[in-house]
Amino acid sequence: MKKILIVEDELAYTKLLHDQLSTKGYEILEAKDGKEGLEIAKREKPNLILLDIRMPVMDGMTMLELLRKEEAVKNTKVIILTNLEPDDKIIGKVVKDQPTYYFVKSNTKLGDLTEKIRDVLSE
Amino acid sequence: MRPEPHTDFVNNQVVEDFNYKSIFDNMLDGLAYCQMIFDGQGNPVDFIYLKVSKNFEELTGLKKAEGKKVTELIPGIRETNPELFEIYGRVSRTGKPDKFETYVAPLSRWFSVSVYCPKNNFFVAIFQNTTASKKTLKDLKDAKIAAQNVLDDLQVEKEMLALVNAKDEALLASIADGVIATDRDGRITLMNQTAQKMIGQEHVEVQGKSIFDTILLLEEDGNPVPHEKQPLYLALAGTTTTTDPTTEPVCYCMSKGDTKIPIAINASPVLLNNKTTGAIMVFRDISHELEVSRAKSEFVSLASHQLRTPLGITKWYLEALQKDNYIKSASKTIRDYFSQLAKSNERVLSLVGELLSVSRIEEGRIKNDPKPINIGEAVYDIVKEMQPFAQSKKIELRLEKKQEKSLDMFIDPLRFHEVIENLVTNAIEYTPPFGKIDVVMDKNDGVVLISVKDTGVGISVADQSKLFTKFFRSQKAIESNPEGSGLGLYVAKSYVEDWGGKISVESNKGKGSTFLVRLPINRTKKGGEDL
């Protein structure tokens, strides 16, 4: 069973994604911030991480940077899910940190996201 | 031996005769030897010219005067010049000489006269015709009066000018903006206090110096602005230029010692008979405005992100529910309510999105991620996407491509999509049912032209000028589509101009509107020649 780690501080998002994705047959892991997310990622080695940017304790971009330095998990696929518009700084980082995808939550349909998740995981 | 008394007498007589005659004939003054005539009461009433000098006729204009009475020679003289009779009468009676000047009207001449009495009842008048000198004097006097009048006028004008100058000076002094005037070569001729304070130099120090040497104008990054790009240079070339970073992307700074002051500039040519005789530059410190503007944008940006989170959550939950059988199998009322909820949520989300775009535009960080795309295909896709919306309003939406050649461009596809979609959406919103919309694409001289023509409500001329400004909504627009934010065209204009293009509108009220986008094919960054 493919493992998806959701790193998100808004529990309403986490709950919905959890419900929607578990019914599609994925195993779901949850973290409330980047620090927790990094720990779980290292321990559980998920197939995909859904990563928010703005979070307390450790933000998503910092976690991504540290993740890419961990030999065991550095190639984990990441979909950034945020409400921040991508600026040049973030885009530059995401391009460098392949394989990473970027979605603005409020501009994205839930259906399109789950489709993308399926595609990414079947690559 | 004593000389013979007789001989002496004779000799003296000869000398005297000679002298008298010679004097008599050659003197420049006129001479008349006359006998006075008195009436019974002893009043002087007339006189007879017994002897006159050679030049008498020339001086008086009277011919053959000898032996004639003055009243005969000059009829009316008693009435016009009674003083002559009075003076001559007195002198010839009393023997006391006199001198006077008089104007003899019948002769139209002025005379200066010395009169004495050689024997009782006789007099000799020696006179000069002073008409010419009198006239000269009179002319002189007139000239003096005229000159005085001119001087008085000049004084009045001088005072008025001083008043105007004082007003100008007060006006300049009371302006909170810096004002500098130059001659046609850009040399400083005038400068108000604010300008002196901002530059940190006194007017006297810079008077006559080139403004380009006095004010160091910098780009935001600190590089000096080349002369030919400076607003004052453009003004001297005849164009009025305004740079205001709160509305335009260009920000010029003025260097004052080590500090950089951001300024907004307006420079205009001073025209005299259509010729540029100089220029005036008005500028102001906009540090505070920029700060406020940045703070505002930051606030909008932050607030927007915070707003997006709950809206985004709602969006996804509604979508999840919509797929659920509970809604599909629910009553029509519930399904209608549900769709209203989803629509409203989308509206707020798109408004937040527009606000974010505006704050990005204002912060000068427009997203630009250009990729090579085929404009023709992109526009085709947009028109196809919009068909259902057009059909729901029974509007015919057509696409015409005037150029078969491919229209490849290097441009940000998402922003391009946003601009064209905005224009087509507007056209559909503001066109009544059964109307027509034509999207036309053309290519001309390295410029791609995309026009969107509708048969809608049209835009008044007054509104056309405000159409592309932030939050502007015409009354007609509010009536036809109360949900619009007034940001779409502002955003579209900002993007198109960022690509070096132009967006414009032509419209007749009630007869529809045509929006035209012109994009240079080889340039998607701003700068360079105008379209």
Side-chain angles (χ1 to χ4, degrees), chain B residues 280-294:
Chain B
I280 289 187
M281 178 164 120
V282 181
F283 54 100
R284 67 173 200 281
D285 184 342
I286 49 160
S287 317
H288 184 65
E289 284 166 61
L290 284 184
E291 213 173 281
V292 169
S293 168
R294 263 181 214 134

Side-chain angles (χ1 to χ4, degrees), chain B residues 469-488:
Chain B
T469 57
K470 208 177 4 174
F471 298 114
F472 174 75
R473 304 214 60 221
S474 71
Q475 196 51 45
K476 259 281 193 273
I478 294 166
E479 285 162 18
S480 323
N481 175 25
E483 295 173 4
S485 65
L487 291 170

Side-chain angles (χ1 to χ4, degrees), chain A residues 12 16 83 85 108 110-111, chain B residues 305 308 316-317 319 360 367:
Chain A
L16 184 69
N83 273 325
E85 290 285 337
T108 309
L110 188 59
Chain B
H305 287 132
R308 269 183 161 182
W316 279 3
Y317 273 87
E319 195 187 327
R360 260 196 310 274
K367 274 189 296 184

Side-chain angles (χ1 to χ4, degrees), chain B residues 172 179-182 187-192 203 207:
Chain B
L172 275 178
V179 179
I180 296 181
T182 75
R187 285 189 295 257
I188 295 170
T189 55
L190 189 144
M191 189 168 173
N192 73 345
H203 185 197
Q207 170 86 29

Side-chain angles (χ1 to χ4, degrees), chain A residues 19-116:
Chain A
D19 291 351
Q20 295 289 311
L21 295 172
S22 56
T23 58
K24 290 192 158 54
Y26 302 115
E27 184 187 338
I28 306 300
L29 305 162
E30 292 177 17
K32 293 187 300 297
D33 59 60
K35 188 167 173 278
E36 204 181 71
L38 193 65
E39 279 162 19
I40 297 174
K42 283 197 275 189
R43 193 175 67 225
E44 302 285 338
K45 298 185 180 61
N47 304 85
L48 172 70
I49 299 173
L50 302 181
L51 181 62
D52 188 21
I53 291 184
R54 204 177 271 208
M55 287 181 295
V57 188
M58 183 192 283
D59 68 57
M61 294 317 286
T62 311
M63 179 193 150
L64 185 63
E65 209 178 318
L66 295 172
L67 184 84
R68 296 302 187 212
K69 284 179 186 160
E70 292 287 333
E71 198 53 44
V73 288
K74 68 174 184 185
N75 290 322
T76 312
K77 290 164 179 163
V78 173
I79 292 179
I80 291 174
L81 274 181
T82 177
N83 273 325
L84 290 175
E85 290 285 337
D87 64 23
D88 293 347
K89 223 165 96 189
I90 293 176
I91 289 291
K93 190 150 201 61
V94 169
V95 169
K96 209 172 68 195
D97 288 334
Q98 294 279 17
T100 314
Y101 305 87
Y102 197 103
F103 285 91
V104 174
K105 282 181 276 201
S106 56
N107 291 352
T108 309
K109 280 187 183 162
L110 188 59
D112 293 345
L113 177 66
T114 51
E115 229 171 85
K116 185 70 190 175

